[in-house]
Structures are given as C-alpha cells and as structure tokens.
Amino acid sequence: FELVLMVLFVLVLAVMGSAAGGILQDSLGLPERTGAAVMLVLVVLLTFFGRDLITRVLASWSVLLYLVFLSYFIAIMTGLTEADVQGKLDWEIEASWMVSGLQYALYNVSAVPIILYAARAIETEQQAYTSGAIGGIIAMVPGILFHLSFIGAYPDILAADLPVYSQFETLGMPILYGLYLIVLFGTFIETGAGNIQGFIERIDTWWQERRPVPLKRIHHASIAGVALVLASLLSEVGIVDLIASGYGGIAWGFLFVYLIPLFTVGIYRIVRDRPNV
C-alpha cells in the first residue's frame, strides 16, 4: 500500500505542477516551469506551518471554489441556445464506461487514509456516517454539473487538456475568469499541501513509534521539498500523458492492496471487535 501510495502521491503533485505551469503560461505568458515552480514553493511553505493551517485552508478554499464554480455554471448554462444542445443529449454509452468509472473511484478513494488528519473532530459513528454522506454529495455534485456545462462545447471539448479552463476562456467574462484562475491555482496548492501533509503524518507516526523526539517543521519542509523536486521532474512529461499512463495502473494497485482488504478483513475485524450492547 505504501509503495503504491507514494507513486500516486508523486504523480498527483506532478499533474498539479504541470497544470499550474500550463495555466500561468496561457494566462500570463510565463514559462511553464515558472508556474510549476511557484506552485511547488507555495506548497512547501504551507506544509511548513503544519496541520492546523492546512485543515483551515482546505475548508475555506473549498467554499470559495464552490462559489466560483456555481457562478460559472449559471453563466455557461444561461448562455446556451437550443442550437447549442441540439442532438447533443443523445449520448453514446461506450463499452468501457464501467471500467473507467471504477478506475476513477479507485485512485480517488485512496486519498481517504491520507486526509484523515482533517477528520479528527469526528468522534462518533453517527458523525462519521453523516460526514461521509455529505462529503460524497459535495464531491460529486460539481462533477455532474461540470459534465452538463460541457454540452455546448461537445465534442470539441474532449480534446482540451483542462476542459473547464477552456470553457472559462470562451465565456467572455474577465472578472469571473480571473477569479477562476486564482481559485484553480490555489486549489492546486491546497491539493498538493493536503497530500503532502497526509504523507508527513504517516511518517511522523512511524518515526514517533521508534524515536522519543518528533520530527521538526524543517524536516517536514525537507520531505515536501524532495517530493516536489521528483514531481517537478515528472511534470515535464505533460499533464495528458501523466494522467493517461499513470492513473489507470495505480487504480488497480489500490483495488488489490487497499479496497479488497478493507472490505473483507477490515469489515470482519470491525464486526469481531464490536462490543456487545
């Protein structure tokens, strides 16, 4: 699990860096490597200040992300005409839809153990069930709305590296477009910092089981720096190639080393150890 997790961890950072570099290059004319470097430096800085700050950033930035996205969705849908959607609702269901959906779920659900540090306030089963249900809705509603917002640009949108980014470019709303760039770039930073913090939490636990002295902030920043350097080198491949070649194989790895054990041995142990009431 740890080996597959580390591969995914570096791959996610590489995708974030590649995407961030591409966005700053398109919007501000900066070299792609500059954009990636800025994002990676900010991730290290955020990681240096630790769990509490990252948890607050994850929560507050998500609210801002939702507000900007809802504004985008309303703007894109109200601008559509009947001609824009004519014939585009007759979608074809490809044979690989189930496999693709399963892969997407597998490499996303692997983040659960990584971000448990952000769920320390959950103390009861009821809170866990409620939080899980709300979290699932919050995560999936934007995905559904995103797909609906692509109707007018289909099928050309399939060739875009970042489909939502392309949609914002065509909206002709500079203020909303600028807000989106800020929110998107910040989301890359918080995603990178959130993943690194989860990785550091695992290393901290392992270290404290063996040493009386916990790791210091400078150690955390150094771990983040090494991971980000590796991700920077990998990001040279490009975002599309990274996603196409990396995520699919990793998804099957998590199926066998994480989900199958979790839903067999894990459930058995929960039932076995549950106190009789």
Side-chain angles (χ1 to χ4, degrees):
F1 174 80
E2 300 295 345
L3 179 60
V4 180
L5 182 65
M6 288 176 64
V7 174
L8 177 65
F9 167 69
V10 175
L11 181 61
V12 168
L13 293 176
V15 169
M16 297 295 102
S18 180
I23 287 173
L24 288 191
Q25 183 180 48
D26 291 344
S27 57
L28 300 178
L30 296 175
E32 186 171 346
R33 290 182 179 178
T34 301
V38 170
M39 190 212 79
L40 298 177
V41 168
L42 291 175
V43 167
V44 173
L45 184 62
L46 192 57
T47 306
F48 176 79
F49 288 102
R51 175 199 309 150
D52 292 339
L53 177 61
I54 291 176
T55 302
R56 290 196 296 269
V57 169
L58 287 172
S60 57
W61 201 264
S62 297
V63 174
L64 181 59
L65 178 64
Y66 242 88
L67 291 174
V68 173
F69 166 69
L70 288 176
S71 299
Y72 149 78
F73 181 75
I74 293 171
I76 206 82
M77 297 304 287
T78 53
L80 291 178
T81 64
E82 185 176 347
D84 291 328
V85 299
Q86 189 69 35
K88 294 182 179 179
L89 295 177
D90 300 326
W91 298 328
E92 294 182 5
I93 300 177
E94 297 186 6
S96 60
W97 71 270
M98 183 176 290
V99 173
S100 297
L102 180 61
Q103 285 181 313
Y104 181 80
L106 287 173
Y107 62 68
N108 275 283
V109 78
S110 65
V112 173
I114 299 299
I115 60 173
L116 283 178
Y117 66 87
R120 290 173 181 256
I122 297 176
E123 298 178 348
T124 67
E125 286 190 11
Q126 184 60 45
Q127 289 175 345
Y129 295 144
T130 303
S131 299
I134 294 174
I137 293 171
I138 290 174
M140 292 311 300
V141 166
I144 296 170
L145 298 183
F146 270 136
H147 279 76
L148 290 175
S149 74
F150 298 150
I151 291 176
Y154 181 82
D156 295 338
I157 196 69
L158 297 177
D161 289 354
L162 295 171
V164 183
Y165 178 58
S166 300
Q167 289 287 80
F168 266 98
E169 285 186 311
T170 61
L171 265 179
M173 303 177 68
I175 295 178
L176 185 59
Y177 177 59
L179 285 173
Y180 172 72
L181 289 179
I182 294 172
V183 168
L184 182 61
F185 198 79
T187 301
F188 291 153
I189 295 171
E190 68 159 0
T191 301
N195 275 276
I196 287 180
Q197 183 61 32
F199 184 66
I200 287 173
E201 295 271 343
R202 299 178 73 82
I203 293 178
D204 270 344
T205 301
W206 175 84
W207 182 265
Q208 290 180 28
E209 289 175 351
R210 292 160 176 77
R211 303 286 191 279
V213 181
L215 293 173
K216 299 179 181 179
R217 284 184 175 181
I218 189 63
H219 296 141
H220 293 172
S222 299
I223 293 170
V226 171
L228 290 170
V229 168
L230 293 176
S232 298
L233 297 175
L234 191 58
S235 69
E236 297 293 327
V237 177
I239 184 172
V240 174
D241 291 335
L242 283 171
I243 293 174
S245 61
Y247 281 124
I250 289 175
W252 300 124
F254 279 116
L255 174 65
F256 290 106
V257 303
Y258 174 47
L259 278 188
I260 290 178
L262 182 68
F263 285 101
T264 53
V265 177
I267 291 178
Y268 166 73
R269 289 183 177 179
I270 290 174
V271 174
R272 182 195 64 185
D273 298 337
R274 182 183 294 272
N276 295 323
V277 180

